[in-house]
Amino acid sequence: MEHTGNSLAALNFYIDAGVDEVIGEDPVDRFAESQAAVAAPRPVAARAAPLAKTTETHTPNRTQTEADISARTLAAGAADLAALRGAMEGFDACPLKKTAANTVFGAGNPAAPIMLVGEAPGADEDRQGQPFVGVSGQLLDRMLASIGLDREGVYITNMLAWRPPGNRKPTPEETSMCLPFIRRHIELVAPRILVFVGGTSATTLLDAKQGITRMRGRWFVYPPDGDAGARAIPAMPIFHPAYLLRNPGLKRLAWIDLLAIKARLEDIS
């Protein structure tokens, strides 16, 4: 009985730590793999046309790797969403792709005026290959419905297309490799309004230092560098549905933010 109790305690510990599925029988140090993948020499992809500034990554104090350059070249060469998806599915330099079941690209209506960008796929999203289909996605659907929207009236994607094992935080190297793809994704969809779902996508794509509690409910301009060649898009960060599930008292603030988004949509329609 004592052995069973210890096993149950260990299992509960893993669940609380975010371990929600078994990938292999033996533990693997993914951080070591990430460093090895970054350090390993790779052939440099053929140079494409000069990149638009909106596909540049905002990673100060970090040297661009060959994987970063390859991602930027592939992203810049994608003329439409189908080409971008193909480029991402063929990009093998990101360690996250090695443990992910699917490339989670996007869902909804790419012609819709509003585009939502989350952080990264979870276990349900990874299995189904679609963004926001788990418990958090169900709450997001209800949030959208509260202001008269559904999946056909928005376009949804994530900053990262591949699930980090155990839902861990992606490393700076992994994020840097994925940034050119999400920036090109936004360029191709060209929404009238951007909504960053969660603090990670908001701070990264807006190149901001503030946390989500200070950024939510405020309008920002994307891209943040004021590129004269890119169309400025009004952008609002909101709480991630997973965060609201853990902190239901914040749903009142989320409702205020949704009303502001609804009002902005009405202004541009």
Side-chain angles (χ1 to χ4, degrees):
M1 292 297 294
E2 181 180 356
H3 176 73
T4 302
N6 290 338
S7 298
L8 288 173
L11 180 59
N12 287 329
F13 169 79
Y14 287 130
I15 293 174
D16 291 340
V19 178
D20 52 13
E21 62 180 299
V22 176
I23 295 176
E25 294 183 358
D26 300 318
V28 178
D29 188 343
R30 298 299 180 191
F31 292 100
E33 278 192 359
S34 300
Q35 296 299 326
V38 171
R42 298 180 184 275
V44 180
R47 293 293 190 272
L51 301 177
K53 289 186 179 180
T54 50
T55 62
E56 297 286 347
T57 56
H58 293 265
T59 51
N61 302 321
R62 182 179 174 276
T63 303
Q64 295 286 301
T65 67
E66 292 182 355
D68 295 333
I69 296 171
S70 176
R72 290 169 53 200
T73 302
L74 289 170
D80 53 32
L81 291 178
L84 181 63
R85 180 169 193 154
M88 294 171 67
E89 290 176 342
F91 181 70
D92 295 323
C94 184
L96 295 178
K97 189 179 179 185
K98 298 177 182 178
T99 56
N102 284 294
T103 297
V104 181
F105 186 72
N109 180 7
I114 182 170
M115 179 178 185
L116 287 79
V117 182
E119 299 175 4
D124 292 316
E125 289 76 15
D126 186 38
R127 279 191 289 267
Q128 298 184 40
Q130 296 290 325
F132 285 97
V133 293
V135 176
S136 295
Q138 295 169 17
L139 177 55
L140 181 62
D141 286 343
R142 294 196 296 271
M143 293 167 65
L144 292 173
S146 71
I147 56 172
L149 295 173
D150 57 23
R151 296 257 174 163
E152 292 304 314
V154 301
Y155 185 78
I156 305 175
T157 188
N158 280 305
M159 189 176 69
L160 276 68
W162 303 287
R163 181 201 180 206
N167 291 340
R168 67 161 172 79
K169 185 177 181 179
T171 66
E173 290 79 13
E174 292 163 347
T175 300
S176 179
M177 293 177 202
C178 294
L179 273 176
F181 295 120
I182 184 56
R183 293 191 185 281
R184 184 59 177 156
H185 207 150
I186 294 172
E187 273 188 333
L188 291 171
V189 174
R192 304 286 299 278
I193 292 177
L194 270 170
V195 175
F196 294 118
V197 185
T200 301
S201 59
T203 56
T204 303
L205 290 169
L206 290 174
D207 198 18
K209 304 300 181 184
Q210 298 172 320
I212 185 62
T213 55
R214 296 189 64 184
M215 295 181 70
R216 55 134 296 267
R218 297 166 54 196
W219 287 104
F220 294 83
V221 175
Y222 178 90
D225 56 8
D227 179 10
R231 181 174 63 85
I233 305 173
M236 178 183 287
I238 65 172
F239 289 126
H240 196 284
Y243 188 67
L244 293 175
L245 288 171
R246 297 192 299 269
N247 301 274
L250 296 175
K251 289 183 179 180
R252 179 181 63 84
L253 297 178
W255 171 240
I256 293 173
D257 298 344
L258 290 170
L259 290 177
I261 293 169
K262 179 182 180 181
R264 193 67 175 248
L265 278 172
E266 292 173 348
D267 286 342
I268 65 174
S269 61

